[in-house]
Amino acid sequence: MQIDKSQIIDLLKSQGKDGDADQAQSELPDQVDPEQHSDLLAKFGINPKDLLGKIPGLGGFGG
């Protein structure tokens, strides 16, 4: 599954992690594969398995 980088940036900002969001903006590819890029996501405190529940439209409460 591919996740748009902007959704991850928005998630980080919603958690008050503006610095991480800025860094993720420059380091993450436009389309993020949670399995392939799990090391990058972990760097920003994101567990790839948690993305399903936190990003609307990916099977979480907002979707």
Side-chain angles (χ1 to χ4, degrees):
M1 168 191 352
Q2 300 284 315
I3 300 170
D4 193 79
K5 174 172 64 174
S6 65
Q7 291 181 289
I8 295 172
I9 303 300
D10 291 344
L11 173 64
L12 289 168
K13 287 182 178 180
S14 75
Q15 296 175 342
K17 299 179 179 179
D18 291 340
D20 284 344
D22 291 341
Q23 190 174 357
Q25 179 69 40
S26 64
E27 293 187 25
L28 291 175
D30 290 337
Q31 293 295 312
V32 179
D33 181 327
E35 292 180 8
Q36 182 180 350
H37 302 111
S38 61
D39 55 337
L40 277 174
L41 294 172
K43 180 178 179 177
F44 303 115
I46 297 174
N47 181 336
K49 294 178 182 177
D50 291 344
L51 286 176
L52 290 176
K54 292 183 178 176
I55 295 183
L58 296 180
F61 295 109

